[in-house]
Amino acid sequence: MALPVPLRPVQHHLRTAQEHEKRDPVVTYYCRLYAMQTGMKLDSKTPECRKFLVKLMDQLESMKKELSDNESISQEVVGNAHIENYALKLFLYADNEDRAGRFHKNMIKSFYTSSLLLDVLSVFGELSEENIQHRKYARWKATYIHNCLKNGETPQPGPIGMDEDEEADEFGAEGFSGQGPSHGGSFRGGPAPQSFDGQDQSLVPGPTPGIGFTPGLAPSGPPATNYNNIQIPPGAHAPANTPAELPPPSGGVQLSAEDFTKAQKYCKYAGSALQYEDVNTAVQNLQKALRLLTTGKE
């Protein structure tokens, strides 16, 4: 069924859902959930939109039954961690390639897909400031590199000056067809740069190229650089704090029920990260839990 014009703002999220149906049904489920929730706000009254959204709801209901034994579907906190870890893994891969001056369709696709998945995180609640910055930077980088290659120009690697209005909400994702990395992959430098002819290509589901990934590897380059008040999230470029930097446990800390819930959330995030052998993310979340439990502060 064709996507009605009023629902076009979610077309790339739906395409990402389609691409991951076999590789990662959890990503597919939450991309469709985001598209359905957003679509309801865009237009739920006109017959064509209503018909499309009802079909999407049916798909979601069917997937929920099929994946009922999957914790990422049955427990939102685990689903949140799954999507966030995947989005940031795509971001780190693309950022590594960018800083190394390796510009190709796969890295552009990875930047852009990470920004779409950070959109999807909004189904779990408000985005953190760090993820808002990741999303803005990734979407802008994808657009900038795409346009440079399309125009036969060499992009400047790493963080560079960016205007506030340069973020592209409607990025021509049809301009590249490279798939991003799969969960189980290893990123050892990524694929060789591909020619970029700027021609529109259909983004259909397909096998993931052999993109390598070294789990937990932080990209080289300067930490947290400001460009026109937009800050690259330090978590993407800087190593985690060492355990020695954590405050010593202090007796008599009054913890609320909310504090315990947050600590549980961080531990679940860490567990999810370990499933993908992402040591840095696991350590960071365990440190957050420990800091909260020992000081009562995040």
Side-chain angles (χ1 to χ4, degrees), residues 163-184:
D163 292 331
E164 285 284 351
D165 59 358
E166 280 191 56
E167 181 186 8
D169 289 323
E170 281 300 313
F171 178 63
E174 292 85 354
F176 50 90
S177 60
Q179 301 289 334
S182 63
H183 283 163

Side-chain angles (χ1 to χ4, degrees), residues 246-250 252-267 284-298:
L246 289 169
S250 54
V253 175
Q254 295 296 318
L255 297 174
S256 65
E258 185 183 5
D259 291 332
F260 284 110
T261 300
K262 286 181 179 178
Q264 285 180 330
K265 179 183 72 172
Y266 289 134
C267 289
Q284 287 174 11
N285 280 290
L286 289 172
Q287 287 174 345
K288 287 178 181 178
L290 182 59
R291 185 178 296 113
L292 180 59
L293 293 172
T294 54
T295 68
K297 300 176 182 177
E298 291 191 75

Side-chain angles (χ1 to χ4, degrees), residues 13-279:
H13 304 86
L14 287 171
R15 185 173 281 124
T16 299
Q18 183 186 12
E19 290 169 356
H20 286 80
E21 267 188 304
K22 293 182 179 177
R23 285 192 285 145
D24 193 330
V26 173
V27 169
T28 296
Y29 177 81
Y30 285 112
C31 282
R32 285 179 179 155
L33 181 60
Y34 172 84
M36 191 270 289
Q37 291 182 354
T38 305
M40 293 290 286
K41 296 173 188 173
L42 291 169
D43 187 341
S44 62
K45 292 186 169 66
T46 58
E48 60 170 353
C49 290
R50 181 178 288 276
K51 186 176 179 181
F52 186 90
L53 292 170
V54 167
K55 182 181 177 183
L56 198 51
M57 286 179 201
D58 290 341
Q59 279 185 312
L60 286 165
E61 199 59 40
S62 176
M63 287 193 75
K64 197 168 186 178
K65 288 177 183 175
E66 289 174 16
L67 302 171
S68 59
D69 59 344
N70 189 316
E71 279 195 344
S72 292
I73 301 299
S74 60
Q75 298 183 40
E76 280 198 354
V77 68
V78 183
N80 190 345
H82 185 106
I83 300 299
E84 184 173 39
N85 285 339
Y86 187 51
L88 296 183
K89 191 160 285 195
L90 286 169
F91 181 95
L92 278 173
Y93 161 70
D95 190 59
N96 270 321
E97 292 294 278
D98 175 40
R99 287 166 180 266
R102 293 187 289 264
F103 306 108
H104 49 84
K105 295 177 187 179
N106 282 338
M107 64 93 73
I108 300 172
K109 178 70 178 292
S110 293
F111 262 138
Y112 190 64
T113 302
S114 74
S115 78
L116 295 175
L117 293 177
L118 289 169
D119 285 339
V120 170
L121 282 180
S122 64
V123 304
F124 304 105
E126 290 187 21
L127 296 186
S128 67
E129 184 58 33
E130 184 178 49
N131 282 336
I132 290 171
Q133 297 298 336
H134 270 103
R135 179 177 64 181
K136 190 176 187 71
Y137 183 74
R139 197 161 293 179
W140 165 70
K141 260 294 182 179
T143 307
Y144 166 72
I145 297 169
H146 170 80
N147 288 338
C148 282
L149 296 182
K150 186 177 180 180
N151 297 329
E153 300 168 2
T154 302
Q156 185 175 334
I160 55 176
M162 162 187 170
D163 292 331
E164 285 284 351
D165 59 358
E166 280 191 56
E167 181 186 8
D169 289 323
E170 281 300 313
F171 178 63
E174 292 85 354
F176 50 90
S177 60
Q179 301 289 334
S182 63
H183 283 163
S186 56
F187 286 37
R188 288 189 236 295
Q194 304 175 35
S195 63
F196 192 95
D197 55 19
Q199 298 297 313
D200 285 352
Q201 297 181 44
S202 160
L203 291 176
V204 294
T208 305
I211 301 174
F213 182 66
T214 303
L217 179 66
S220 59
T225 305
N226 282 314
Y227 45 100
N228 292 2
N229 298 322
I230 304 298
Q231 187 178 35
I232 301 174
H237 310 299
N241 293 333
T242 62
E245 294 174 21
L246 289 169
S250 54
V253 175
Q254 295 296 318
L255 297 174
S256 65
E258 185 183 5
D259 291 332
F260 284 110
T261 300
K262 286 181 179 178
Q264 285 180 330
K265 179 183 72 172
Y266 289 134
C267 289
K268 284 189 175 181
Y269 282 4
S272 180
L274 288 174
Q275 286 184 333
Y276 305 119
E277 301 178 1
D278 188 347
V279 177

